[in-house]
Amino acid sequence: MAKSKVRRAIVTPDKHFPYEDKPAIQALIKAIKLVKPDIYVDLGDVGEWESVSMWKWKRKKQPPLEHMIPDIEKDIEDVNRGMDQIDRALDKVKCKERHFTEGNHDNWLNRFVERYPYLPQFRVKKALKLDERGYTYHPFGKFLKLGKLFFYHGHQYGGQYHAANHLRKLGCNIMYGHWHDLQQMSATHMDGPKSAWSIGCLKDMSSEANLWLDGRRINWAHAFAIIDFYGKGLFTVNVVQIIDGKCSIRGRLIDGNS
């Protein structure tokens, strides 16, 4: 089949800037330049958004608004800087179609604006300049459909076997992040085979960057997905795992440490 009949996408999960795993992000950027995708999908939680975390003031008295705004502005600056790295690679390969599916951490920023409606500039779509960046914005909880595959952040239908739960509840091909681990579940229904994919994260997995875990062991994994769409919405999925900042695509080693 001629390449012109295939549309290739790169899909990335939770980055949590400024707590991203830097080698994993650099591996992703090198992969974008190698693969030259036609489509880019961000599955959300692009930022940690610690300044507006729903847990930040749980056991503390919230300070006056003027003390909070500098921290929020710093978070916005850090997340935009992180997105800039990826967008520069997308610009270089002329990837025009870009999608942003909002995550629960991202939505904390919107909830802050709900409490302070006179600060609309802090809504995610505005704060991250998604229109200027050329992204189609998919609000928290909304699904994106490309071909016969759906995408969203992944915060629904959890549990230990969340891929199986997504497949059972939604009954469609679905790809998501949120849980930071790798899972796939497949089933063949009367109308054909379907699968659910959880594609890990790109966040720093060290205990220093995740103090809230209190040292608990985790099963997170660094990864992203490459998807080829062809025919009548059909597709193939390649989940690329990044280990110690390195991954392999088409037999070529990509090292994000250098």
Side-chain angles (χ1 to χ4, degrees):
M1 178 177 290
K3 187 181 184 301
S4 61
K5 295 184 179 179
V6 175
R7 299 191 73 220
R8 181 158 293 163
I10 281 186
V11 184
T12 63
D14 311 40
K15 297 157 210 66
H16 291 267
F17 292 119
Y19 298 122
E20 79 280 10
D21 186 88
K22 290 177 175 56
I25 293 294
Q26 289 307 308
L28 166 67
I29 288 170
K30 290 183 177 182
I32 289 171
K33 294 176 181 177
L34 174 65
V35 171
K36 297 178 174 59
D38 306 290
I39 307 166
Y40 176 73
V41 179
D42 188 315
L43 291 176
D45 278 6
V46 68
E48 178 72 15
W49 301 118
E50 189 173 16
S51 61
V52 288
S53 167
M54 59 187 298
W55 310 109
K56 186 174 179 66
W57 307 111
K58 187 175 181 180
R59 298 178 182 176
K60 305 173 187 176
K61 180 178 175 57
Q62 183 171 304
L65 181 60
E66 58 268 26
H67 290 277
M68 299 171 63
I69 285 181
D71 289 341
I72 298 171
E73 291 177 334
K74 179 63 165 56
D75 273 356
I76 291 173
E77 179 183 346
D78 287 341
V79 176
N80 272 287
R81 186 182 300 113
M83 291 186 70
D84 287 346
Q85 299 177 66
I86 296 171
D87 283 351
R88 281 194 293 269
L90 295 172
D91 290 342
K92 187 169 185 178
V93 300
K94 297 179 171 58
C95 177
K96 301 295 186 183
E97 184 175 342
R98 306 178 192 185
H99 297 272
F100 182 89
T101 64
E102 196 166 64
N104 58 300
H105 278 245
D106 308 315
N107 196 43
W108 291 347
L109 203 54
N110 295 329
R111 289 183 178 180
F112 173 82
V113 176
E114 288 175 6
R115 295 197 301 274
Y116 302 99
Y118 41 86
L119 296 171
Q121 68 271 27
F122 289 154
R123 286 196 177 275
V124 169
K125 187 178 180 182
K126 183 73 172 178
L128 296 183
K129 303 178 285 189
L130 294 179
D131 287 341
E132 294 92 326
R133 292 179 182 277
Y135 283 77
T136 300
Y137 170 65
H138 305 273
F140 185 59
K142 299 296 183 181
F143 291 80
L144 161 66
K145 184 174 185 287
L146 298 174
K148 295 185 177 182
L149 178 58
F150 289 83
F151 304 85
Y152 91 120
H153 178 58
H155 53 284
Q156 302 174 9
Y157 315 122
Q160 183 178 0
Y161 306 108
H162 48 82
N165 289 338
H166 273 83
L167 187 60
R168 179 171 56 88
K169 291 285 189 179
L170 295 175
C172 65
N173 295 303
I174 182 76
M175 181 173 286
Y176 58 94
H178 183 70
W179 301 96
H180 294 195
D181 63 359
L182 295 174
Q183 286 191 21
Q184 180 183 354
M185 184 64 185
S186 299
T188 301
H189 296 163
M190 292 293 285
D191 59 345
K194 300 182 180 70
S195 290
W197 290 269
S198 169
I199 64 166
C201 71
L202 293 167
K203 185 182 183 183
D204 183 346
M205 298 189 292
S206 68
S207 57
E208 292 79 12
N210 299 279
L211 296 175
W212 58 277
L213 288 169
D214 295 325
R216 285 176 289 165
R217 296 185 65 82
I218 53 177
N219 63 339
W220 297 357
H222 293 145
F224 60 93
I226 301 173
I227 305 171
D228 283 351
F229 292 95
Y230 59 93
K232 298 180 179 179
L234 300 176
F235 61 91
T236 57
V237 171
N238 176 22
V239 176
V240 181
Q241 186 170 2
I242 303 170
I243 300 175
D244 294 333
K246 301 176 182 179
C247 63
S248 174
I249 299 175
R250 304 174 192 162
R252 179 171 173 177
L253 177 65
I254 295 177
D255 189 346
N257 297 287
S258 59

